[in-house]
Amino acid sequence: MPNVNTRVFFSKTDRAKYISHLDLYRVFQRAIIKSKLPVWYTEGFNPRLYIQFMLPLSLGQEGLREAADFRLTEEIPPEEVTERLNASLPLDLRITETSVPVMKNTDIAEAEYKIEAELSREKFAEFAQSEKILVEKKTKKGISEVDLKPNIKNLEISDKITLRLPAGNEFNLNPALLFEAFEKFSGEKISRIKITRTRIFAKNGEEFK
Amino acid sequence: MYRNDEMMKKLDEFLLDVQKPSRYIGGESGSVFKDKENVDVRFAFCFPDTYEIGMSHLGMKILYGLKNRVPNYWCERVFMPLPDMEQKMRERNIPLYALESLDPIKDFDFIGFTIQYELCYTTILEMLDLAGVPVLASERTSLTPIIMGGGPCVCNAEPLCDFFDLFAIGEGEEMNLELMRLMEECKKNGLTKAEFLEKAAQIEGIYVPSLYDISYNEDGTVQKITAKAPAPEQVKKRVIKDFDSVYSPDNFVVPFTDIVHNRAVVEVLRGCIRGCRFCQAGFIYRPFREKKTDTVLNQTKTLCENTGYDEVSLSSLSTSDFSDIEGLLSTLTAYTSKNRINLSLPSLRVDRFNEKIFEEISSVRKSGLTFAPEAGTQRLRDVINKNIKESDVLKGVKIAFEGGYTAIKLYFMLGLPTETDDDIRGIYALAKTVIDEYYQNPNRKKGKSPSVSVSLSTFIPKPFTPFEFEPQASEAEIKRKQKLMTDICVDKKINISWSKYDVSLLEAVLARGDRRVGKAIYLAWKKGCVLDGWDEYFDFGKWKEAFAECGLSMSFYANRTRSYEEIAPWSHINMLVSHDFFVEENKRAHEGTTTPNCREKCSNCGVIKNIGGECCKKI
Ligand code: SF4
């Protein structure tokens, strides 16, 4: 049997942003079974449909170009895979492209975010100028202090805020941290915030493929 | 496809602050979206419990699929939010909304509740209130929304009459569509609520409580029930005649989160041939009807393929009574094992529990095994017509032990009619024999020991059973029996547990209450009772206060023997099984005489007479 490594890019928006990372596996699993695509199961006593998500997305955040891998046991045109999966997935999870993996998930270096929030642009610009932006970050070992400032790249403040932050298995920064820090800085509570991960980049600077 | 964007925005502001937000947002695969412009009748299908509980319920899935098949009708789901969510909704004035459109349900044409257990009554009121709908039917004057109820509890809907506009008695498939059609017409022609209800009352199975007057005797019993024209004297339960071809959903809404029974479910039969005298389901769902093996297989395939579920379960009151059970199981396992699907089989009876069936289920799943002898001695099992012998239990247990099981769960009831202390001792004796049986097995694993958990519930006399006349045992009596049980139980391998008496008492009161009980429900709710089925929210103190404040005695409803001649609060409802039959069965119970099951011999329960034809001959 051929083993065709397959990578799908998908968007996770609106209602689907409330699907937790844990539940996302099940949602994809069911969609794949439903689509009747011939897929590879892990071997062993308890075979499991193999799906790997490249980079977890925080609950409540939207993603426009998320990536997941699985294996097909037959060659199937990518457009057909996209179509069959979309027919089976919940409305707010959409496959945008099916391709063959080029990079590994360990190649992931950073991600681009778009933030729509009700806050004062001037204040935020002032905040972004601070010498240091110290935040507490939960890690497996406990809580450590990180300075966001040197990690923020390509920051643009217009009616939306866009920026890039380190991403990946080794070092990942959640943009929510930045806005928590801003709330502390300005003393105002942000009532409405929408964080969207728009793109993922590899170490070589290219978009993740 | 329509969605209320305004509501979505409001929810986005705080949903991350509540536990498991995905249950409050809808949009799961299999959920149905429509274009609001093209919809004429909207139905909010409410399950008065949490999302997790409600989403496991088959009846809701059937009616959801059925109504949404009609292009211009839209049925959506609604559940009770947990307190963290409810509080946030109330703070922000967000009314209860439906999970598909996110529209407030107060703007729907129907708000329908499926009422599966008595302890959800206050939750119904809470949901109406959260929706911004007056809980009292008398305060709702416009045509819509019509508040309706269905499900097993509405066979005695009297305690709920203050709150509901109508009830659907019996099987809902046809009635629901007929009501929606009527609504479509009434809206077009600008009819009033009163006019709608009068027309609805003429649909078979529809009970409009405001069209009935009740008077009471001095002793508190019902004196007379008078129907106002055009409502019928007796509301007759609706039955689906051709069960094999009844609508069966070809898709389910599949939750994002993992709920307890997250799996495909296929209904294989309705009704029960057994006639256990304590069991309401056994009588109110008569007659017994089953689907063909092929029908079940096809429905299983369709459902698994459309949902992507890897587990399927068969639904029925007693799956082993399916006439071709072995054929069914081998047909199904052939399909499921080829497709990596687990087949699980609840409700098997021990007396039909043989090696063949055991093999089929154990090739699939190995968890603890459950048996329900219900009573400890043969004498008492004869009284309740639970036609299971000790040898049947032991045979089942033996097969289970040989198959490698070590944990057995046994269910019993305390407080059954005619019960004596010998029957209690019998429970222990039976559990002990099960333990002994384990050591009879020469191939038992060394170093492992068996365990038996004995679960004791309190008997609840229910309407439309031969025991509807019986008193529920008093708290003192039940406590004494529980103590007796723990006193005689010296074997550490036997573990005894029981349900709370208060809960069973309230269930008995609500199950057999009359219209006056509605006041107490209202008061209890006002005092803050909600989600009474949940241990952590149940507050019996408030219920006691509520009953005291409206001058009603719980023991009048629960602990009193009712004469055969007394007019029951539900006597204008015809569940097809006759009153005479229940009286006859009650007498036989007290004589300790059993009644054969419908497959052995028809005992003229009245169903054939009521629906005509050959109701049970086909079995
Ligand atoms: S009519 Fe006879 S066979 Fe049919 S349900 Fe009643 S007792 Fe059973």
Side-chain angles (χ1 to χ4, degrees):
Chain A
M1 249 196 281
N3 226 333
V4 193
N5 285 329
T6 306
R7 174 163 297 162
V8 290
F9 289 95
F10 63 96
S11 62
K12 181 174 185 272
T13 58
D14 290 296
R15 309 193 200 213
K17 66 174 172 284
Y18 295 108
I19 304 176
S20 71
H21 188 65
L22 212 77
D23 290 334
L24 193 61
Y25 171 81
R26 266 188 294 266
V27 172
F28 265 84
Q29 178 196 24
R30 288 192 182 116
I32 288 173
I33 296 177
K34 212 169 131 173
S35 70
K36 294 197 184 144
L37 286 168
V39 285
W40 182 77
Y41 281 72
T42 59
E43 268 130 39
F45 190 66
N46 225 338
R48 211 176 118 89
L49 200 164
Y50 169 82
I51 308 169
Q52 197 190 4
F53 293 94
M54 292 298 111
L55 190 61
L57 184 63
S58 293
L59 191 70
Q61 297 183 0
E62 305 199 343
L64 298 186
R65 202 169 160 78
E66 300 298 303
D69 287 4
F70 53 86
R71 291 180 201 162
L72 290 170
T73 54
E74 268 168 47
E75 296 272 2
I76 294 182
E79 301 74 37
E80 192 188 324
V81 175
T82 304
E83 204 177 294
R84 280 166 71 174
L85 280 179
N86 276 339
S88 313
L89 280 165
L91 218 55
D92 295 334
L93 281 176
R94 293 290 92 188
I95 308 288
T96 52
E97 190 190 333
T98 301
S99 61
V100 177
V102 178
M103 301 170 178
K104 290 200 284 286
N105 66 342
T106 46
D107 292 330
I108 294 175
E110 56 183 36
E112 178 188 79
Y113 298 90
K114 176 181 82 185
I115 293 103
E116 294 154 90
E118 271 171 27
L119 49 76
S120 139
R121 312 283 129 176
E122 293 74 43
K123 254 225 183 106
F124 191 79
E126 187 193 327
F127 162 71
Q129 297 296 316
S130 328
E131 209 170 299
K132 279 186 170 181
I133 301 178
L134 293 177
V135 294
E136 284 182 348
K137 179 175 154 49
K138 268 183 238 151
T139 61
K140 274 173 208 135
K141 281 178 214 129
I143 294 174
S144 66
E145 198 167 65
V146 184
D147 183 8
L148 291 182
K149 184 68 198 248
N151 288 303
I152 303 173
K153 282 208 248 159
N154 298 34
L155 176 68
E156 274 176 44
I157 308 171
S158 58
D159 56 330
K160 286 167 189 128
I161 297 166
T162 54
L163 55 87
R164 290 192 195 180
L165 284 170
N169 292 343
E170 288 149 44
F171 186 52
N172 192 75
L173 286 174
N174 187 337
L177 292 171
L178 181 67
F179 291 87
E180 279 162 30
F182 174 69
E183 283 184 333
K184 263 192 210 139
F185 171 86
S186 66
E188 61 181 71
K189 179 116 181 60
I190 307 171
S191 63
R192 230 170 247 195
I193 183 162
K194 183 172 154 188
I195 300 176
T196 310
R197 184 152 75 196
T198 43
R199 288 187 292 174
I200 297 173
F201 293 92
K203 282 175 186 149
N204 64 3
E206 276 180 50
E207 228 187 288
F208 183 70
K209 292 192 278 213
Chain B
M1 254 171 288
Y2 171 78
R3 183 191 77 187
N4 185 330
D5 292 330
E6 200 54 40
M7 184 68 88
M8 182 77 198
K9 255 193 215 143
K10 285 189 195 163
L11 294 171
D12 274 340
E13 278 176 30
F14 69 93
L15 263 191
L16 284 180
D17 301 333
V18 302
Q19 292 287 313
K20 299 195 194 152
S22 73
R23 58 185 156 180
Y24 300 121
I25 198 67
E28 310 92 321
S29 75
S31 50
V32 178
F33 297 97
K34 296 200 177 189
D35 198 344
K36 201 166 146 181
E37 302 309 309
N38 303 329
V39 169
D40 293 314
V41 184
R42 299 185 70 181
F43 197 111
F45 197 121
C46 302
F47 195 100
D49 208 316
T50 61
Y51 177 90
E52 284 73 7
I53 304 277
M55 281 301 289
S56 319
H57 185 248
L58 180 61
M60 181 174 205
K61 298 172 198 285
I62 295 176
L63 293 174
Y64 181 83
L66 177 86
K67 291 176 203 174
N68 280 325
R69 263 207 314 188
V70 185
N72 61 331
Y73 297 169
W74 193 4
C75 175
E76 306 183 39
R77 296 160 301 140
V78 188
F79 303 94
M80 178 66 201
L82 280 174
D84 64 335
M85 178 67 180
E86 188 186 359
Q87 194 197 338
K88 291 223 151 50
M89 288 169 69
R90 288 199 183 266
E91 279 165 15
R92 288 155 198 260
N93 286 319
I94 295 177
L96 192 60
Y97 55 89
L99 287 183
E100 281 74 7
S101 63
L102 305 182
D103 275 342
I105 62 169
K106 63 172 186 301
D107 304 328
F108 282 48
D109 300 306
F110 288 98
I111 299 179
F113 289 90
T114 176
I115 313 177
Q116 298 292 320
Y117 25 83
E118 290 80 7
L119 294 182
C120 72
Y121 291 180
T122 56
T123 309
I124 295 173
L125 302 196
E126 188 71 11
M127 286 176 78
L128 286 175
D129 188 61
L130 186 60
V133 173
V135 300
L136 294 174
S138 56
E139 289 174 11
R140 299 187 300 259
T141 49
S142 57
L143 172 61
T144 62
I146 291 290
I147 313 302
M148 61 176 284
C153 290
V154 305
C155 68
N156 176 29
E158 294 310 290
L160 293 171
C161 287
D162 290 348
F163 318 113
F164 280 81
D165 299 313
L166 63 87
F167 297 99
I169 314 282
E171 294 169 345
E173 284 95 340
E174 295 160 348
M175 275 186 287
N176 268 274
L177 290 181
E178 288 161 22
L179 281 171
M180 289 176 90
R181 243 171 267 140
L182 179 63
M183 177 57 83
E184 193 179 348
E185 219 178 274
C186 287
K187 274 168 70 175
K188 250 184 226 143
N189 302 329
L191 297 197
T192 63
K193 178 176 174 180
E195 287 165 321
F196 169 85
L197 288 178
E198 280 185 10
K199 286 180 189 291
Q202 295 168 56
I203 297 176
E204 187 173 278
I206 299 299
Y207 170 41
V208 178
S210 55
L211 297 179
Y212 295 79
D213 280 330
I214 320 286
S215 59
Y216 298 92
N217 293 313
E218 247 165 56
D219 64 2
T221 55
V222 173
Q223 185 184 43
K224 205 164 175 241
I225 301 174
T226 327
K228 294 184 250 185
E233 291 289 318
Q234 289 254 315
V235 181
K236 192 163 153 187
K237 177 184 98 166
R238 198 66 178 263
V239 178
I240 301 294
K241 293 246 167 71
D242 184 1
F243 177 60
D244 190 59
S245 56
V246 73
Y247 170 80
S248 155
D250 50 17
N251 201 359
F252 279 5
V253 178
V254 179
F256 296 137
T257 52
D258 228 11
I259 56 168
V260 187
H261 294 307
N262 209 357
R263 60 190 183 195
V265 185
V266 176
E267 193 183 19
V268 295
L269 58 84
R270 268 186 207 175
C272 181
I273 58 171
R274 298 283 158 178
C276 300
R277 290 175 180 137
F278 56 86
C279 176
Q280 188 185 48
F283 295 100
I284 64 172
Y285 295 126
R286 282 184 180 206
F288 181 90
R289 288 145 295 160
E290 52 188 23
K291 288 182 183 164
K292 300 193 187 94
T293 296
D294 270 356
T295 311
V296 177
L297 176 68
N298 289 336
Q299 292 176 351
T300 303
K301 276 188 187 163
T302 311
L303 204 49
C304 288
E305 283 173 12
N306 286 340
T307 55
Y309 271 128
D310 54 5
E311 184 177 349
V312 63
S313 157
L314 300 182
S315 155
S316 74
L317 289 172
S318 173
T319 307
S320 35
D321 282 331
F322 192 80
S323 16
D324 177 31
I325 181 68
E326 288 178 17
L328 178 70
L329 290 182
S330 51
T331 311
L332 284 182
T333 40
Y335 165 73
T336 53
S337 52
K338 208 173 78 203
N339 291 280
R340 301 173 204 271
I341 295 167
N342 281 320
L343 174 66
S344 65
L345 291 174
S347 43
L348 285 175
R349 279 179 59 101
V350 287
D351 53 336
R352 298 203 65 192
F353 192 87
N354 59 30
E355 274 95 350
K356 185 87 182 17
I357 294 177
F358 183 78
E359 257 165 47
E360 302 286 7
I361 59 168
S362 62
S363 66
V364 168
R365 184 145 292 225
K366 203 162 248 165
S367 51
L369 271 187
T370 298
F371 298 94
E374 309 290 3
T377 58
Q378 194 54 48
R379 184 200 69 80
L380 193 52
R381 284 194 292 274
D382 286 348
V383 168
I384 63 176
N385 206 41
K386 182 93 191 181
N387 289 329
I388 286 180
K389 293 192 207 66
E390 183 170 310
S391 55
D392 296 325
V393 177
L394 292 182
K395 199 182 100 203
V397 162
K398 187 171 171 230
I399 300 171
F401 283 149
E402 280 164 3
Y405 286 82
T406 53
I408 303 286
K409 200 165 185 175
L410 299 175
Y411 283 102
F412 296 95
M413 277 187 277
L414 288 185
L416 285 165
T418 78
E419 183 180 71
T420 67
D421 289 355
D422 281 344
D423 298 308
I424 311 288
R425 288 185 199 102
I427 295 176
Y428 180 68
L430 183 54
K432 194 93 179 90
T433 325
V434 170
I435 298 277
D436 294 343
E437 186 63 44
Y438 180 84
Y439 292 103
Q440 302 293 315
N441 174 14
N443 302 324
R444 63 177 189 273
K445 278 215 187 78
K446 294 274 146 6
K448 276 213 165 183
S449 65
S451 78
V452 174
S453 29
V454 171
S455 166
L456 305 170
S457 62
T458 300
F459 163 68
I460 301 165
K462 293 258 173 130
F464 298 104
T465 68
F467 287 163
E468 64 174 28
F469 316 100
E470 300 292 335
Q472 183 174 47
S474 70
E475 180 167 18
E477 186 60 13
I478 294 294
K479 288 245 155 91
R480 192 186 65 75
K481 287 178 172 167
Q482 290 166 345
K483 184 164 182 302
L484 176 63
M485 215 30 225
T486 40
D487 286 349
I488 51 180
C489 178
V490 287
D491 193 326
K492 289 251 159 48
K493 295 181 202 75
I494 298 172
N495 169 36
I496 295 167
S497 65
W498 51 69
S499 59
K500 267 200 202 153
Y501 180 79
D502 296 348
V503 175
S504 317
L505 173 66
L506 184 61
E507 273 183 68
V509 171
L510 296 178
R512 289 195 301 175
D514 52 35
R515 282 197 187 183
R516 294 168 302 182
V517 170
K519 282 241 158 38
I521 297 172
Y522 181 81
L523 268 181
W525 168 67
K526 274 278 173 201
K527 289 173 186 293
C529 288
V530 67
L531 290 169
D532 295 300
W534 293 73
D535 251 3
E536 58 264 56
Y537 305 120
F538 184 66
D539 187 342
F540 191 62
K542 288 187 180 140
W543 275 101
K544 273 211 293 221
E545 282 169 36
F547 272 89
E549 278 168 39
C550 40
L552 292 173
S553 136
M554 286 202 194
S555 69
F556 172 79
Y557 294 106
N559 311 114
R560 173 174 64 90
T561 306
R562 304 179 184 212
S563 77
Y564 296 150
E565 293 76 35
E566 183 180 326
I567 297 174
W570 53 87
S571 50
H572 52 316
I573 306 298
N574 176 0
M575 293 304 283
L576 306 187
V577 181
S578 73
H579 178 75
D580 291 347
F581 175 76
F582 289 138
V583 170
E584 188 55 33
E585 277 292 290
N586 185 276
K587 289 179 183 159
R588 288 169 75 97
H590 283 276
E591 291 160 6
T593 315
T594 60
T595 297
N597 71 50
C598 299
R599 195 169 273 152
E600 287 163 11
K601 182 174 172 283
C602 169
S603 35
N604 283 320
C605 73
V607 171
I608 286 189
K609 232 195 250 150
N610 261 307
I611 62 171
E614 34 171 0
C615 99
C616 304
K617 281 203 196 113
K618 275 186 277 183
I619 312 170

